[in-house]
């Protein structure tokens, strides 16, 4: 029984922990594009769930259960889109912050080089170099907090996707009771399950890029 329990726990560890290294501007830009893609997929879920609700209503009593589940899927897609929209703002701030940090690091290295090469300026440059170094450390820590905040949001999004998959599977079960509309409802339920799976894969890919 213990090996099975360990295996079950291992499957849950799908989101990697962020490292101390900040992502590059290119990494964060790609993360932003992936977020946009995930949001577009969630819009498909919303539209499919709405259309399938209309079909379920036509099925009458046989489609009541599916209609309830479809509304849950619409709620999933809408909440997901809102959360990812908020994450986009965090990513935008992270891009700007990393860009500023990179420029400041270059200036800091130039000051250090000038201090090392010009003995007569060492004392005069000591305070500017120290202040710039302290500023760099504060900014680096701030960017790390921003990256961790995005990472935490990704963990929440990943759990929401797991819940969405469970709801989509319930939709397939309810579709089996759809009477003459069973085939159409089963098809749309399968499409929504597949799309949520794509969203889940995208979210995990974003977390992996942020972690490397």
């Amino acid at each position: 029984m213990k090996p099975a329990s360990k295996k079950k726990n291992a499957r849950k560890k799908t989101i990697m922990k962020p490292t101390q290294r900040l992502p590059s501007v290119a990494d964060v830009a790609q993360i932003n594009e992936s977020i946009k893609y995930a949001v577009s997929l969630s819009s498909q879920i919303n539209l499919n769930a709405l259309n399938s609700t209309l079909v379920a209503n036509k099925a009458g009593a046989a489609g009541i259960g599916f209609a309830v589940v479809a509304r849950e899927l619409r709620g999933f897609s809408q909440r997901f889109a809102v959360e990812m929209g908020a994450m986009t703002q965090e990513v935008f701030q992270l891009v700007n912050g990393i860009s500023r940090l990179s420029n400041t690091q270059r200036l800091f290295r130039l000051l250090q080089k000038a201090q090392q090469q010009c003995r007569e300026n060492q004392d005069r440059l000591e305070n500017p170099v120290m202040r710039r170094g302290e500023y760099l450390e504060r900014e680096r820590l701030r960017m790390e907090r921003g990256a961790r905040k995005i990472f935490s949001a990704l963990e929440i999004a990943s759990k929401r996707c797991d819940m969405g998959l469970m709801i989509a599977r319930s939709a397939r079960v309810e579709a089996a009771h759809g009477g003459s509309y069973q085939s159409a409802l089963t098809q749309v339920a399968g499409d929504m399950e597949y799309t949520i799976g794509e969203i889940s894969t995208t979210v995990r890919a974003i977390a992996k890029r942020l972690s490397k």
Side-chain angles (χ1 to χ4, degrees):
M1 294 299 291
K2 288 185 178 180
S5 177
K6 289 181 180 179
K7 186 176 181 182
K8 182 177 180 182
N9 290 335
R11 287 200 298 269
K12 291 182 178 179
K13 297 177 181 178
T14 53
I15 293 287
M16 299 171 63
K17 292 300 178 186
T19 63
Q20 293 300 311
R21 186 190 73 82
L22 285 173
S24 67
V25 172
D27 283 335
V28 180
Q30 183 57 53
I31 287 170
N32 191 51
E33 291 302 311
S34 297
I35 290 174
K36 290 179 181 178
Y37 175 63
V39 171
S40 71
L41 290 177
S42 73
S43 296
Q44 291 180 29
I45 295 292
N46 189 35
L47 182 60
N48 287 342
L50 176 60
N51 291 337
S52 63
T53 299
L54 298 177
V55 174
N57 289 337
K58 290 180 181 178
I64 290 177
F66 189 95
V68 171
V69 177
R71 283 194 293 272
E72 289 294 321
L73 285 170
R74 287 196 70 198
F76 155 79
S77 68
Q78 291 165 356
R79 287 189 293 272
F80 181 86
V82 169
E83 290 169 358
M84 297 302 273
M87 195 186 303
T88 300
Q89 296 299 317
E90 296 291 338
V91 169
F92 178 75
Q93 292 179 16
L94 188 60
V95 168
N96 289 338
I98 291 175
S99 181
R100 288 196 308 271
L101 186 61
S102 179
N103 291 333
T104 304
Q105 284 173 333
R106 283 195 292 270
L107 177 58
F108 181 67
R109 285 192 292 267
L110 288 173
L111 284 172
Q112 282 185 315
K113 187 175 180 180
Q115 186 183 32
Q116 292 167 1
Q117 292 179 347
C118 304
R119 293 181 179 277
E120 64 274 13
N121 291 329
Q122 283 185 355
D123 291 340
R124 190 173 66 180
L125 290 174
E126 183 176 356
N127 285 337
V129 170
M130 185 180 297
R131 287 197 299 271
R132 188 60 58 180
E134 290 171 349
Y135 171 79
L136 271 173
E137 181 62 14
R138 289 195 301 272
E139 283 297 291
R140 185 184 65 79
L141 292 174
R142 190 166 71 86
M143 292 303 99
E144 284 183 1
R145 287 194 295 271
R148 285 196 295 270
K149 188 174 182 180
I150 294 171
F151 195 87
S152 296
L154 287 169
E155 288 186 315
I156 294 172
S158 180
K159 291 176 182 178
R160 189 174 296 285
C161 287
D162 291 340
M163 182 62 68
L165 283 170
M166 291 176 60
I167 299 171
R169 287 164 189 154
S170 297
R172 278 199 291 139
V173 172
E174 293 297 337
H177 305 290
S180 60
Y181 292 92
Q182 176 184 347
S183 178
L185 293 176
T186 299
Q187 177 65 45
V188 74
D191 289 343
M192 288 190 288
E193 183 178 351
Y194 174 81
T195 304
I196 294 173
E198 284 290 297
I199 294 173
S200 181
T201 299
T202 301
V203 168
R204 285 173 169 79
I206 295 171
K208 185 176 181 180
R209 181 174 285 275
L210 191 62
S211 304
K212 71 177 185 176

